[in-house]
PDB file of all heavy atoms in Angstrom:
ATOM      1  N   GLY A   1     -82.175  -4.713 -16.569  1.00  0.00           N
ATOM      2  CA  GLY A   1     -81.751  -4.697 -17.927  1.00  0.00           C
ATOM      3  C   GLY A   1     -82.241  -5.767 -18.855  1.00  0.00           C
ATOM      4  O   GLY A   1     -81.947  -5.818 -20.054  1.00  0.00           O
ATOM      5  N   LEU A   2     -82.991  -6.701 -18.209  1.00  0.00           N
ATOM      6  CA  LEU A   2     -83.585  -7.874 -18.965  1.00  0.00           C
ATOM      7  C   LEU A   2     -84.723  -7.355 -19.918  1.00  0.00           C
ATOM      8  O   LEU A   2     -85.013  -7.840 -21.011  1.00  0.00           O
ATOM      9  CB  LEU A   2     -84.070  -8.986 -18.145  1.00  0.00           C
ATOM     10  CG  LEU A   2     -84.175 -10.331 -18.690  1.00  0.00           C
ATOM     11  CD1 LEU A   2     -82.864 -10.937 -19.266  1.00  0.00           C
ATOM     12  CD2 LEU A   2     -84.824 -11.317 -17.710  1.00  0.00           C
ATOM     13  N   LEU A   3     -85.546  -6.450 -19.392  1.00  0.00           N
ATOM     14  CA  LEU A   3     -86.651  -5.937 -20.131  1.00  0.00           C
ATOM     15  C   LEU A   3     -86.169  -4.815 -21.043  1.00  0.00           C
ATOM     16  O   LEU A   3     -85.006  -4.472 -21.073  1.00  0.00           O
ATOM     17  CB  LEU A   3     -87.657  -5.409 -19.111  1.00  0.00           C
ATOM     18  CG  LEU A   3     -88.351  -6.432 -18.309  1.00  0.00           C
ATOM     19  CD1 LEU A   3     -89.230  -5.966 -17.252  1.00  0.00           C
ATOM     20  CD2 LEU A   3     -89.008  -7.609 -19.069  1.00  0.00           C
ATOM     21  N   PRO A   4     -87.024  -4.357 -21.975  1.00  0.00           N
ATOM     22  CA  PRO A   4     -86.711  -3.264 -22.986  1.00  0.00           C
ATOM     23  C   PRO A   4     -85.953  -2.083 -22.379  1.00  0.00           C
ATOM     24  O   PRO A   4     -86.333  -1.561 -21.373  1.00  0.00           O
ATOM     25  CB  PRO A   4     -88.004  -2.932 -23.559  1.00  0.00           C
ATOM     26  CG  PRO A   4     -88.840  -4.037 -23.478  1.00  0.00           C
ATOM     27  CD  PRO A   4     -88.550  -4.661 -22.105  1.00  0.00           C
ATOM     28  N   GLN A   5     -84.786  -1.799 -22.934  1.00  0.00           N
ATOM     29  CA  GLN A   5     -83.986  -0.647 -22.675  1.00  0.00           C
ATOM     30  C   GLN A   5     -83.585   0.011 -24.034  1.00  0.00           C
ATOM     31  O   GLN A   5     -83.062  -0.562 -24.923  1.00  0.00           O
ATOM     32  CB  GLN A   5     -82.679  -0.927 -22.045  1.00  0.00           C
ATOM     33  CG  GLN A   5     -82.861  -1.305 -20.425  1.00  0.00           C
ATOM     34  CD  GLN A   5     -81.462  -1.337 -19.839  1.00  0.00           C
ATOM     35  OE1 GLN A   5     -80.444  -1.738 -20.505  1.00  0.00           O
ATOM     36  NE2 GLN A   5     -81.462  -1.137 -18.614  1.00  0.00           N
ATOM     37  N   TRP A   6     -84.046   1.308 -24.181  1.00  0.00           N
ATOM     38  CA  TRP A   6     -83.790   2.026 -25.468  1.00  0.00           C
ATOM     39  C   TRP A   6     -82.661   2.873 -25.389  1.00  0.00           C
ATOM     40  O   TRP A   6     -82.558   3.721 -24.455  1.00  0.00           O
ATOM     41  CB  TRP A   6     -85.087   2.775 -25.839  1.00  0.00           C
ATOM     42  CG  TRP A   6     -86.238   1.934 -25.916  1.00  0.00           C
ATOM     43  CD1 TRP A   6     -87.301   1.606 -25.025  1.00  0.00           C
ATOM     44  CD2 TRP A   6     -86.622   1.005 -27.094  1.00  0.00           C
ATOM     45  NE1 TRP A   6     -88.163   0.747 -25.448  1.00  0.00           N
ATOM     46  CE2 TRP A   6     -87.819   0.307 -26.713  1.00  0.00           C
ATOM     47  CE3 TRP A   6     -86.043   0.790 -28.322  1.00  0.00           C
ATOM     48  CZ2 TRP A   6     -88.345  -0.580 -27.564  1.00  0.00           C
ATOM     49  CZ3 TRP A   6     -86.635  -0.026 -29.260  1.00  0.00           C
ATOM     50  CH2 TRP A   6     -87.831  -0.756 -28.808  1.00  0.00           C
ATOM     51  N   ARG A   7     -81.708   2.799 -26.370  1.00  0.00           N
ATOM     52  CA  ARG A   7     -80.464   3.540 -26.404  1.00  0.00           C
ATOM     53  C   ARG A   7     -80.506   4.352 -27.807  1.00  0.00           C
ATOM     54  O   ARG A   7     -80.940   3.685 -28.846  1.00  0.00           O
ATOM     55  CB  ARG A   7     -79.342   2.641 -26.290  1.00  0.00           C
ATOM     56  CG  ARG A   7     -79.195   1.910 -25.009  1.00  0.00           C
ATOM     57  CD  ARG A   7     -78.680   2.685 -23.909  1.00  0.00           C
ATOM     58  NE  ARG A   7     -78.686   2.028 -22.640  1.00  0.00           N
ATOM     59  CZ  ARG A   7     -77.691   1.150 -22.248  1.00  0.00           C
ATOM     60  NH1 ARG A   7     -76.592   1.001 -23.071  1.00  0.00           N
ATOM     61  NH2 ARG A   7     -77.711   0.660 -21.101  1.00  0.00           N
ATOM     62  N   GLU A   8     -79.972   5.501 -27.704  1.00  0.00           N
ATOM     63  CA  GLU A   8     -79.969   6.260 -28.992  1.00  0.00           C
ATOM     64  C   GLU A   8     -78.821   5.745 -29.921  1.00  0.00           C
ATOM     65  O   GLU A   8     -77.789   5.320 -29.473  1.00  0.00           O
ATOM     66  CB  GLU A   8     -79.675   7.758 -28.680  1.00  0.00           C
ATOM     67  CG  GLU A   8     -80.811   8.451 -28.071  1.00  0.00           C
ATOM     68  CD  GLU A   8     -80.563   9.873 -27.924  1.00  0.00           C
ATOM     69  OE1 GLU A   8     -79.414  10.306 -27.463  1.00  0.00           O
ATOM     70  OE2 GLU A   8     -81.328  10.683 -28.404  1.00  0.00           O
ATOM     71  N   GLY A   9     -79.153   5.724 -31.181  1.00  0.00           N
ATOM     72  CA  GLY A   9     -78.202   5.303 -32.189  1.00  0.00           C
ATOM     73  C   GLY A   9     -77.492   6.553 -32.801  1.00  0.00           C
ATOM     74  O   GLY A   9     -77.743   7.673 -32.493  1.00  0.00           O
ATOM     75  N   PRO A  10     -76.501   6.273 -33.796  1.00  0.00           N
ATOM     76  CA  PRO A  10     -75.842   7.394 -34.392  1.00  0.00           C
ATOM     77  C   PRO A  10     -76.665   8.252 -35.225  1.00  0.00           C
ATOM     78  O   PRO A  10     -76.451   9.444 -35.473  1.00  0.00           O
ATOM     79  CB  PRO A  10     -74.734   6.729 -35.209  1.00  0.00           C
ATOM     80  CG  PRO A  10     -75.280   5.354 -35.464  1.00  0.00           C
ATOM     81  CD  PRO A  10     -76.132   4.929 -34.271  1.00  0.00           C
ATOM     82  N   ARG A  11     -77.801   7.791 -35.774  1.00  0.00           N
ATOM     83  CA  ARG A  11     -78.694   8.522 -36.636  1.00  0.00           C
ATOM     84  C   ARG A  11     -79.742   9.220 -35.735  1.00  0.00           C
ATOM     85  O   ARG A  11     -80.195   8.631 -34.763  1.00  0.00           O
ATOM     86  CB  ARG A  11     -79.452   7.657 -37.584  1.00  0.00           C
ATOM     87  CG  ARG A  11     -80.305   8.399 -38.510  1.00  0.00           C
ATOM     88  CD  ARG A  11     -81.073   7.338 -39.404  1.00  0.00           C
ATOM     89  NE  ARG A  11     -80.149   6.685 -40.402  1.00  0.00           N
ATOM     90  CZ  ARG A  11     -80.250   5.552 -40.883  1.00  0.00           C
ATOM     91  NH1 ARG A  11     -81.338   4.807 -40.434  1.00  0.00           N
ATOM     92  NH2 ARG A  11     -79.453   5.130 -41.819  1.00  0.00           N
ATOM     93  N   ARG A  12     -80.047  10.548 -35.964  1.00  0.00           N
ATOM     94  CA  ARG A  12     -80.947  11.279 -35.205  1.00  0.00           C
ATOM     95  C   ARG A  12     -82.279  10.549 -35.171  1.00  0.00           C
ATOM     96  O   ARG A  12     -82.894  10.191 -36.118  1.00  0.00           O
ATOM     97  CB  ARG A  12     -81.080  12.643 -35.750  1.00  0.00           C
ATOM     98  CG  ARG A  12     -81.964  13.594 -34.883  1.00  0.00           C
ATOM     99  CD  ARG A  12     -82.022  14.949 -35.400  1.00  0.00           C
ATOM    100  NE  ARG A  12     -82.885  15.788 -34.593  1.00  0.00           N
ATOM    101  CZ  ARG A  12     -83.119  17.121 -34.781  1.00  0.00           C
ATOM    102  NH1 ARG A  12     -82.630  17.678 -35.916  1.00  0.00           N
ATOM    103  NH2 ARG A  12     -83.849  17.789 -33.986  1.00  0.00           N
ATOM    104  N   GLY A  13     -82.799  10.323 -33.941  1.00  0.00           N
ATOM    105  CA  GLY A  13     -84.110   9.680 -33.787  1.00  0.00           C
ATOM    106  C   GLY A  13     -84.055   8.111 -33.751  1.00  0.00           C
ATOM    107  O   GLY A  13     -85.033   7.477 -33.512  1.00  0.00           O
ATOM    108  N   GLU A  14     -82.838   7.600 -33.998  1.00  0.00           N
ATOM    109  CA  GLU A  14     -82.667   6.157 -34.047  1.00  0.00           C
ATOM    110  C   GLU A  14     -82.581   5.572 -32.653  1.00  0.00           C
ATOM    111  O   GLU A  14     -81.813   6.062 -31.823  1.00  0.00           O
ATOM    112  CB  GLU A  14     -81.414   5.752 -34.927  1.00  0.00           C
ATOM    113  CG  GLU A  14     -81.222   4.276 -35.069  1.00  0.00           C
ATOM    114  CD  GLU A  14     -80.021   3.965 -35.745  1.00  0.00           C
ATOM    115  OE1 GLU A  14     -78.889   4.078 -35.209  1.00  0.00           O
ATOM    116  OE2 GLU A  14     -80.099   3.633 -37.014  1.00  0.00           O
ATOM    117  N   LEU A  15     -83.353   4.570 -32.356  1.00  0.00           N
ATOM    118  CA  LEU A  15     -83.375   3.933 -31.043  1.00  0.00           C
ATOM    119  C   LEU A  15     -83.167   2.458 -31.214  1.00  0.00           C
ATOM    120  O   LEU A  15     -83.485   1.856 -32.181  1.00  0.00           O
ATOM    121  CB  LEU A  15     -84.683   4.113 -30.313  1.00  0.00           C
ATOM    122  CG  LEU A  15     -85.037   5.608 -29.921  1.00  0.00           C
ATOM    123  CD1 LEU A  15     -86.431   5.769 -29.377  1.00  0.00           C
ATOM    124  CD2 LEU A  15     -84.027   6.112 -28.961  1.00  0.00           C
ATOM    125  N   ARG A  16     -82.454   1.889 -30.265  1.00  0.00           N
ATOM    126  CA  ARG A  16     -82.186   0.448 -30.355  1.00  0.00           C
ATOM    127  C   ARG A  16     -82.478  -0.199 -28.986  1.00  0.00           C
ATOM    128  O   ARG A  16     -82.230   0.338 -27.936  1.00  0.00           O
ATOM    129  CB  ARG A  16     -80.683   0.158 -30.663  1.00  0.00           C
ATOM    130  CG  ARG A  16     -80.365  -1.286 -30.737  1.00  0.00           C
ATOM    131  CD  ARG A  16     -78.932  -1.464 -30.904  1.00  0.00           C
ATOM    132  NE  ARG A  16     -78.547  -2.874 -31.005  1.00  0.00           N
ATOM    133  CZ  ARG A  16     -77.282  -3.343 -30.871  1.00  0.00           C
ATOM    134  NH1 ARG A  16     -76.313  -2.518 -30.676  1.00  0.00           N
ATOM    135  NH2 ARG A  16     -77.077  -4.657 -30.945  1.00  0.00           N
ATOM    136  N   ASN A  17     -83.275  -1.320 -29.000  1.00  0.00           N
ATOM    137  CA  ASN A  17     -83.658  -2.085 -27.774  1.00  0.00           C
ATOM    138  C   ASN A  17     -82.499  -2.901 -27.413  1.00  0.00           C
ATOM    139  O   ASN A  17     -82.202  -3.921 -28.062  1.00  0.00           O
ATOM    140  CB  ASN A  17     -84.880  -2.853 -28.022  1.00  0.00           C
ATOM    141  CG  ASN A  17     -85.348  -3.481 -26.765  1.00  0.00           C
ATOM    142  OD1 ASN A  17     -84.721  -3.417 -25.689  1.00  0.00           O
ATOM    143  ND2 ASN A  17     -86.463  -4.250 -26.942  1.00  0.00           N
ATOM    144  N   VAL A  18     -81.724  -2.547 -26.362  1.00  0.00           N
ATOM    145  CA  VAL A  18     -80.524  -3.346 -25.889  1.00  0.00           C
ATOM    146  C   VAL A  18     -80.876  -4.209 -24.715  1.00  0.00           C
ATOM    147  O   VAL A  18     -79.973  -4.831 -24.138  1.00  0.00           O
ATOM    148  CB  VAL A  18     -79.347  -2.439 -25.589  1.00  0.00           C
ATOM    149  CG1 VAL A  18     -78.992  -1.608 -26.786  1.00  0.00           C
ATOM    150  CG2 VAL A  18     -79.729  -1.494 -24.440  1.00  0.00           C
ATOM    151  N   GLY A  19     -82.155  -4.397 -24.320  1.00  0.00           N
ATOM    152  CA  GLY A  19     -82.498  -5.272 -23.226  1.00  0.00           C
ATOM    153  C   GLY A  19     -82.177  -6.675 -23.536  1.00  0.00           C
ATOM    154  O   GLY A  19     -82.094  -7.111 -24.648  1.00  0.00           O
ATOM    155  N   GLY A  20     -81.995  -7.435 -22.424  1.00  0.00           N
ATOM    156  CA  GLY A  20     -81.674  -8.824 -22.599  1.00  0.00           C
ATOM    157  C   GLY A  20     -82.721  -9.591 -23.458  1.00  0.00           C
ATOM    158  O   GLY A  20     -82.324 -10.560 -24.137  1.00  0.00           O
ATOM    159  N   LEU A  21     -83.960  -9.217 -23.412  1.00  0.00           N
ATOM    160  CA  LEU A  21     -84.993  -9.863 -24.237  1.00  0.00           C
ATOM    161  C   LEU A  21     -85.346  -8.941 -25.387  1.00  0.00           C
ATOM    162  O   LEU A  21     -86.407  -9.099 -26.045  1.00  0.00           O
ATOM    163  CB  LEU A  21     -86.194 -10.136 -23.372  1.00  0.00           C
ATOM    164  CG  LEU A  21     -85.940 -11.144 -22.211  1.00  0.00           C
ATOM    165  CD1 LEU A  21     -87.141 -11.245 -21.338  1.00  0.00           C
ATOM    166  CD2 LEU A  21     -85.569 -12.581 -22.774  1.00  0.00           C
ATOM    167  N   GLY A  22     -84.510  -8.050 -25.776  1.00  0.00           N
ATOM    168  CA  GLY A  22     -84.790  -7.017 -26.843  1.00  0.00           C
ATOM    169  C   GLY A  22     -84.395  -7.680 -28.176  1.00  0.00           C
ATOM    170  O   GLY A  22     -83.899  -8.761 -28.321  1.00  0.00           O
ATOM    171  N   GLY A  23     -84.724  -6.805 -29.175  1.00  0.00           N
ATOM    172  CA  GLY A  23     -84.336  -7.304 -30.604  1.00  0.00           C
ATOM    173  C   GLY A  23     -85.466  -8.144 -31.138  1.00  0.00           C
ATOM    174  O   GLY A  23     -86.538  -8.204 -30.737  1.00  0.00           O
ATOM    175  N   GLY A  24     -85.039  -8.889 -32.156  1.00  0.00           N
ATOM    176  CA  GLY A  24     -85.977  -9.843 -32.829  1.00  0.00           C
ATOM    177  C   GLY A  24     -86.169  -9.635 -34.270  1.00  0.00           C
ATOM    178  O   GLY A  24     -86.455 -10.463 -34.992  1.00  0.00           O
ATOM    179  N   ARG A  25     -85.939  -8.336 -34.694  1.00  0.00           N
ATOM    180  CA  ARG A  25     -86.150  -7.951 -36.113  1.00  0.00           C
ATOM    181  C   ARG A  25     -84.800  -7.536 -36.697  1.00  0.00           C
ATOM    182  O   ARG A  25     -84.132  -6.656 -36.195  1.00  0.00           O
ATOM    183  CB  ARG A  25     -87.136  -6.847 -36.187  1.00  0.00           C
ATOM    184  CG  ARG A  25     -88.520  -7.185 -35.839  1.00  0.00           C
ATOM    185  CD  ARG A  25     -89.450  -5.957 -36.033  1.00  0.00           C
ATOM    186  NE  ARG A  25     -90.841  -6.320 -35.750  1.00  0.00           N
ATOM    187  CZ  ARG A  25     -91.834  -5.443 -35.766  1.00  0.00           C
ATOM    188  NH1 ARG A  25     -91.550  -4.206 -36.126  1.00  0.00           N
ATOM    189  NH2 ARG A  25     -93.018  -5.762 -35.472  1.00  0.00           N
ATOM    190  N   PRO A  26     -84.502  -8.103 -37.866  1.00  0.00           N
ATOM    191  CA  PRO A  26     -83.234  -7.594 -38.526  1.00  0.00           C
ATOM    192  C   PRO A  26     -83.489  -6.139 -38.913  1.00  0.00           C
ATOM    193  O   PRO A  26     -84.607  -5.867 -39.375  1.00  0.00           O
ATOM    194  CB  PRO A  26     -83.122  -8.556 -39.752  1.00  0.00           C
ATOM    195  CG  PRO A  26     -83.857  -9.827 -39.373  1.00  0.00           C
ATOM    196  CD  PRO A  26     -84.937  -9.298 -38.473  1.00  0.00           C
ATOM    197  N   GLU A  27     -82.449  -5.313 -38.874  1.00  0.00           N
ATOM    198  CA  GLU A  27     -82.601  -3.838 -39.126  1.00  0.00           C
ATOM    199  C   GLU A  27     -81.315  -3.385 -39.867  1.00  0.00           C
ATOM    200  O   GLU A  27     -80.290  -3.929 -39.727  1.00  0.00           O
ATOM    201  CB  GLU A  27     -82.899  -3.069 -37.893  1.00  0.00           C
ATOM    202  CG  GLU A  27     -84.219  -3.421 -37.100  1.00  0.00           C
ATOM    203  CD  GLU A  27     -84.295  -2.600 -35.852  1.00  0.00           C
ATOM    204  OE1 GLU A  27     -83.498  -1.755 -35.618  1.00  0.00           O
ATOM    205  OE2 GLU A  27     -85.348  -2.774 -35.131  1.00  0.00           O
ATOM    206  N   ARG A  28     -81.536  -2.329 -40.587  1.00  0.00           N
ATOM    207  CA  ARG A  28     -80.428  -1.676 -41.184  1.00  0.00           C
ATOM    208  C   ARG A  28     -79.998  -0.483 -40.251  1.00  0.00           C
ATOM    209  O   ARG A  28     -80.792   0.342 -39.935  1.00  0.00           O
ATOM    210  CB  ARG A  28     -80.774  -1.133 -42.629  1.00  0.00           C
ATOM    211  CG  ARG A  28     -81.009  -2.258 -43.641  1.00  0.00           C
ATOM    212  CD  ARG A  28     -81.118  -1.700 -44.993  1.00  0.00           C
ATOM    213  NE  ARG A  28     -79.840  -1.217 -45.528  1.00  0.00           N
ATOM    214  CZ  ARG A  28     -78.888  -2.013 -46.070  1.00  0.00           C
ATOM    215  NH1 ARG A  28     -79.079  -3.351 -46.022  1.00  0.00           N
ATOM    216  NH2 ARG A  28     -77.789  -1.589 -46.433  1.00  0.00           N
ATOM    217  N   ARG A  29     -78.737  -0.467 -39.908  1.00  0.00           N
ATOM    218  CA  ARG A  29     -78.260   0.570 -39.024  1.00  0.00           C
ATOM    219  C   ARG A  29     -76.888   1.194 -39.490  1.00  0.00           C
ATOM    220  O   ARG A  29     -76.209   0.560 -40.342  1.00  0.00           O
ATOM    221  CB  ARG A  29     -78.026  -0.054 -37.668  1.00  0.00           C
ATOM    222  CG  ARG A  29     -79.227  -0.619 -37.025  1.00  0.00           C
ATOM    223  CD  ARG A  29     -78.971  -0.912 -35.485  1.00  0.00           C
ATOM    224  NE  ARG A  29     -80.224  -1.426 -34.825  1.00  0.00           N
ATOM    225  CZ  ARG A  29     -81.142  -0.571 -34.351  1.00  0.00           C
ATOM    226  NH1 ARG A  29     -81.012   0.712 -34.413  1.00  0.00           N
ATOM    227  NH2 ARG A  29     -82.219  -1.048 -33.764  1.00  0.00           N
ATOM    228  N   LEU A  30     -76.700   2.387 -39.074  1.00  0.00           N
ATOM    229  CA  LEU A  30     -75.479   3.100 -39.415  1.00  0.00           C
ATOM    230  C   LEU A  30     -74.295   2.551 -38.546  1.00  0.00           C
ATOM    231  O   LEU A  30     -74.468   2.413 -37.396  1.00  0.00           O
ATOM    232  CB  LEU A  30     -75.679   4.618 -39.210  1.00  0.00           C
ATOM    233  CG  LEU A  30     -76.473   5.272 -40.292  1.00  0.00           C
ATOM    234  CD1 LEU A  30     -76.519   6.808 -39.859  1.00  0.00           C
ATOM    235  CD2 LEU A  30     -75.799   5.241 -41.667  1.00  0.00           C
ATOM    236  N   ARG A  31     -73.214   2.334 -39.353  1.00  0.00           N
ATOM    237  CA  ARG A  31     -71.942   1.875 -38.575  1.00  0.00           C
ATOM    238  C   ARG A  31     -70.799   2.733 -39.191  1.00  0.00           C
ATOM    239  O   ARG A  31     -70.780   3.081 -40.336  1.00  0.00           O
ATOM    240  CB  ARG A  31     -71.710   0.407 -38.742  1.00  0.00           C
ATOM    241  CG  ARG A  31     -72.642  -0.423 -37.897  1.00  0.00           C
ATOM    242  CD  ARG A  31     -72.178  -1.796 -37.995  1.00  0.00           C
ATOM    243  NE  ARG A  31     -72.956  -2.739 -37.097  1.00  0.00           N
ATOM    244  CZ  ARG A  31     -72.735  -4.066 -37.046  1.00  0.00           C
ATOM    245  NH1 ARG A  31     -71.816  -4.545 -37.697  1.00  0.00           N
ATOM    246  NH2 ARG A  31     -73.436  -4.707 -36.231  1.00  0.00           N
ATOM    247  N   ARG A  32     -69.814   3.046 -38.323  1.00  0.00           N
ATOM    248  CA  ARG A  32     -68.644   3.751 -38.745  1.00  0.00           C
ATOM    249  C   ARG A  32     -67.627   2.581 -39.342  1.00  0.00           C
ATOM    250  O   ARG A  32     -67.244   1.687 -38.552  1.00  0.00           O
ATOM    251  CB  ARG A  32     -67.992   4.560 -37.650  1.00  0.00           C
ATOM    252  CG  ARG A  32     -67.019   5.618 -38.111  1.00  0.00           C
ATOM    253  CD  ARG A  32     -67.733   6.908 -38.575  1.00  0.00           C
ATOM    254  NE  ARG A  32     -66.906   7.904 -39.025  1.00  0.00           N
ATOM    255  CZ  ARG A  32     -66.403   8.876 -38.240  1.00  0.00           C
ATOM    256  NH1 ARG A  32     -66.764   8.806 -36.959  1.00  0.00           N
ATOM    257  NH2 ARG A  32     -65.724   9.797 -38.674  1.00  0.00           N
ATOM    258  N   VAL A  33     -67.255   2.647 -40.578  1.00  0.00           N
ATOM    259  CA  VAL A  33     -66.473   1.591 -41.091  1.00  0.00           C
ATOM    260  C   VAL A  33     -65.338   2.289 -41.895  1.00  0.00           C
ATOM    261  O   VAL A  33     -65.423   3.414 -42.429  1.00  0.00           O
ATOM    262  CB  VAL A  33     -67.237   0.621 -42.003  1.00  0.00           C
ATOM    263  CG1 VAL A  33     -68.302  -0.098 -41.173  1.00  0.00           C
ATOM    264  CG2 VAL A  33     -67.878   1.406 -43.191  1.00  0.00           C
ATOM    265  N   TRP A  34     -64.181   1.454 -42.136  1.00  0.00           N
ATOM    266  CA  TRP A  34     -63.220   1.917 -43.035  1.00  0.00           C
ATOM    267  C   TRP A  34     -63.549   1.436 -44.468  1.00  0.00           C
ATOM    268  O   TRP A  34     -63.820   0.292 -44.676  1.00  0.00           O
ATOM    269  CB  TRP A  34     -61.929   1.240 -42.596  1.00  0.00           C
ATOM    270  CG  TRP A  34     -61.276   1.880 -41.333  1.00  0.00           C
ATOM    271  CD1 TRP A  34     -61.297   1.280 -40.135  1.00  0.00           C
ATOM    272  CD2 TRP A  34     -60.558   3.118 -41.209  1.00  0.00           C
ATOM    273  NE1 TRP A  34     -60.794   2.127 -39.168  1.00  0.00           N
ATOM    274  CE2 TRP A  34     -60.284   3.293 -39.837  1.00  0.00           C
ATOM    275  CE3 TRP A  34     -60.266   4.038 -42.112  1.00  0.00           C
ATOM    276  CZ2 TRP A  34     -59.595   4.396 -39.396  1.00  0.00           C
ATOM    277  CZ3 TRP A  34     -59.628   5.262 -41.658  1.00  0.00           C
ATOM    278  CH2 TRP A  34     -59.387   5.386 -40.238  1.00  0.00           C
ATOM    279  N   CYS A  35     -63.451   2.318 -45.378  1.00  0.00           N
ATOM    280  CA  CYS A  35     -63.721   2.038 -46.878  1.00  0.00           C
ATOM    281  C   CYS A  35     -62.473   2.125 -47.650  1.00  0.00           C
ATOM    282  O   CYS A  35     -61.605   3.005 -47.370  1.00  0.00           O
ATOM    283  CB  CYS A  35     -64.855   3.001 -47.392  1.00  0.00           C
ATOM    284  SG  CYS A  35     -66.381   3.006 -46.471  1.00  0.00           S
ATOM    285  N   ASN A  36     -62.309   1.303 -48.653  1.00  0.00           N
ATOM    286  CA  ASN A  36     -61.175   1.435 -49.595  1.00  0.00           C
ATOM    287  C   ASN A  36     -59.878   1.240 -48.773  1.00  0.00           C
ATOM    288  O   ASN A  36     -58.918   2.089 -48.942  1.00  0.00           O
ATOM    289  CB  ASN A  36     -61.181   2.635 -50.402  1.00  0.00           C
ATOM    290  CG  ASN A  36     -62.468   2.732 -51.243  1.00  0.00           C
ATOM    291  OD1 ASN A  36     -62.958   1.739 -51.781  1.00  0.00           O
ATOM    292  ND2 ASN A  36     -63.071   3.926 -51.290  1.00  0.00           N
ATOM    293  N   VAL A  37     -59.770   0.357 -47.822  1.00  0.00           N
ATOM    294  CA  VAL A  37     -58.644   0.149 -47.048  1.00  0.00           C
ATOM    295  C   VAL A  37     -57.314   0.013 -47.871  1.00  0.00           C
ATOM    296  O   VAL A  37     -57.298  -0.639 -48.830  1.00  0.00           O
ATOM    297  CB  VAL A  37     -58.829  -1.104 -46.039  1.00  0.00           C
ATOM    298  CG1 VAL A  37     -57.505  -1.224 -45.173  1.00  0.00           C
ATOM    299  CG2 VAL A  37     -59.999  -0.787 -45.196  1.00  0.00           C
TER     300      VAL A  37
END
C-alpha cells in the first residue's frame, strides 16, 4: 500500500492515489456535504 494505489471517486472516471507515497497535488474533488444547515 505504500506505492500508488488508485481508487475510484464519486465522479465518474475520477481516480485518487491513496498510496502511502501518493498525492502531492492539490485537487478539487466532490464531497457530500450539508448545505444551509
Side-chain angles (χ1 to χ4, degrees):
L2 199 64
L3 296 178
Q5 282 190 334
W6 300 97
R7 300 278 175 85
E8 287 186 311
R11 181 184 290 153
R12 185 176 181 181
E14 182 180 76
L15 294 174
R16 182 186 180 193
N17 184 358
V18 298
L21 299 173
R25 292 182 179 177
E27 297 179 2
R28 295 191 66 81
R29 296 192 179 276
L30 283 178
R31 286 187 176 181
R32 201 79 181 268
V33 297
W34 290 103
C35 304
N36 303 316
V37 175

